[in-house]
Every structure is written in C-alpha cells, then in structure tokens.
Amino acid sequence: FNNRAVFFKGTGQQDVSGSGLNIPYVVSDKPSGSIRLLSDLTVEGPNGGNAMTLSNATDILNLNGKTLTLGKVGVTSTLAGNGFIKGSATSSLSILGTGNLGTINFDQTTPGTTNQLQNLTIDRTLTGLVTLGNALKVVGTLTLTEGTFTVGANTFTYSGTNITRTNGVIDARDRKSTRLNSSHSSVSRM
C-alpha cells in the first residue's frame, strides 16, 4: 500500500480479507453499511497521524471475531472520528504506539454483545493514553503493558480470568461502576 490510505465509501457491507493484512491507514466515510473483517488486520499509521478514521456516527468497523491491531510501537498514531468498533466475544483489539490515541467508541446496538471484546491489549508507552468513549466489556484477557486506559464517565466491565499488567493502568476516577470481576489483584486503579 506504500504508506497510503485505503478509503471505504458507499453503502452496504464491505469485507476486508487477506493473510497478514497490514493497511497503513484506513479512512471510512460510509453513509450506511459497515466494514467487516474476514481476517486479522493491522492498521499502523507508520508515519503518525490518524492511523484510522471512522468519520461519521454511521461508520462501523465490525471485527467479526478477528483481531485488529491499531498503531505501531514507537509511533504517535491516532484514532479519529465519531464512528464505532463492533466487537464480539471472539473479537480482539491491540492498541500500540505512543501518545494519545484519542477516544475509542464501541457499537452499543446490543449492549454486552456488540460492545464486547474477548481480549484487549494496551501498549502505548508510559505516557500513552487511550480514552473509552462508551461502555465496553472484556471477557478474556486484559493486557496493560504500558499507558493509561481512561474509562471516564463510561462503564468498563472485565469478566475474564487473565489480567497481565506491566506498567499500564486503568484510570476509573470518574466512574464508580467500573467492574473488574477477577481473582487477579495486579491491576492498579488510579
């Protein structure tokens, strides 16, 4: 792709597939429909800036049981727009890089289902930041390698059995209903 963006426009569902698929930048500006992953996808934003733009509230990236890796180690890349990521109990998200990723919104069509991830990894350096824009539930592994996962006024529910933490933290100061339903005690709550 030569460090160029792939643009998704038009209506209806658009599928993305390919072995070891790495698209440098993704821009979605769909008036309706969704982008559906048929294989794992990496969107690095290798030169910084908006690695992924989900422009409108009508833009939905359906993980469809696949893994999305957003960002690249050592690069300040961001997520922009008002669109949504649609998860599931078999979908995973890894967020890499440095600095402030921006606000990540999950599809709330069916709470507890479309706003759910199996695994979530945050590795955004010690000063990195990922802000949750609405409710999210993680049912598998939560990996907090580096950076801060800010819950804000939203509900974050963890009901998995494996939390791995190196230096990452969850900032849940603004929300009393953050639930970490786990026998692990290794998560620091700011």
Side-chain angles (χ1 to χ4, degrees):
F1 293 100
N2 206 18
N3 288 337
R4 294 200 167 106
V6 174
F7 290 81
F8 294 89
K9 294 184 175 267
T11 60
Q13 180 172 282
Q14 294 176 295
D15 292 335
V16 177
S17 66
S19 179
L21 190 58
N22 185 333
I23 299 175
Y25 297 90
V26 168
V27 178
S28 177
D29 191 11
K30 296 174 66 59
S32 65
S34 65
I35 302 166
R36 180 177 66 171
L37 299 186
L38 298 180
S39 59
D40 295 344
L41 174 64
T42 299
V43 181
E44 291 184 334
N47 298 321
N50 295 339
M52 180 175 287
T53 302
L54 300 173
S55 299
N56 307 304
T58 55
D59 289 310
I60 297 174
L61 175 64
N62 182 353
L63 300 183
N64 191 39
K66 307 300 180 200
T67 298
L68 171 65
T69 301
L70 185 58
K72 180 178 181 179
V73 173
V75 176
T76 303
S77 55
T78 58
L79 173 66
N82 297 315
F84 299 92
I85 292 177
K86 182 177 181 178
S88 69
T90 57
S91 299
S92 295
L93 176 62
S94 291
I95 301 172
L96 311 176
T98 64
N100 186 351
L101 175 78
T103 300
I104 188 164
N105 295 304
F106 289 90
D107 181 17
Q108 304 292 312
T109 304
T110 309
T113 302
T114 58
N115 65 335
Q116 183 174 187
L117 293 172
Q118 179 179 26
N119 303 312
L120 174 63
T121 299
I122 297 177
D123 189 358
R124 292 283 294 180
T125 70
L126 287 173
T127 59
L129 178 66
V130 176
T131 302
L132 185 63
N134 54 15
L136 172 64
K137 180 178 183 180
V138 176
V139 297
T141 299
L142 175 62
T143 304
L144 302 167
T145 307
E146 300 275 348
T148 300
F149 181 50
T150 301
V151 174
N154 304 295
T155 299
F156 171 68
T157 303
Y158 175 74
S159 61
T161 58
N162 188 18
I163 297 174
T164 303
R165 179 184 171 273
T166 306
N167 292 313
V169 295
I170 296 173
D171 179 351
R173 290 178 284 190
D174 294 340
R175 185 69 186 170
K176 293 180 183 174
S177 65
T178 299
R179 295 183 297 262
L180 297 173
N181 300 327
S182 173
S183 59
H184 282 41
S185 60
S186 64
V187 174
S188 294
R189 185 174 176 185
M190 291 180 76

